[in-house]
Amino acid sequence: MTASSATATVLQTHEGLRARAGLRARTGGPQEDGPRLLEHLLGWTLVVVLAMLVTQTGLM
């Protein structure tokens, strides 16, 4: 295998990976829309439960 054929193989592989990556679905991130009400309710529930745990154990 010559250097130029190795380079061509690497470039073809890279192009193939880039093409496949463009077809995959997003895995989330800042633009993801979701159930915001549910997230807020679960977040506040966690805050209240932690506050109850802290006060019951006398840590505060």
Side-chain angles (χ1 to χ4, degrees):
M1 179 179 273
T2 65
S4 62
S5 65
T7 303
T9 304
V10 168
L11 289 176
Q12 288 172 350
T13 303
H14 181 68
E15 288 296 321
L17 290 174
R18 191 183 326 166
R20 276 192 285 161
L23 298 176
R24 281 190 275 162
R26 291 190 71 234
T27 58
Q31 287 107 9
E32 181 179 312
D33 292 329
R36 292 186 178 188
L37 179 63
L38 179 63
E39 289 178 12
H40 285 313
L41 287 174
L42 290 175
W44 280 110
T45 303
L46 178 64
V47 168
V48 170
V49 168
L50 284 175
M52 289 170 34
L53 178 70
V54 167
T55 55
Q56 290 293 321
T57 57
L59 296 174
M60 189 169 179

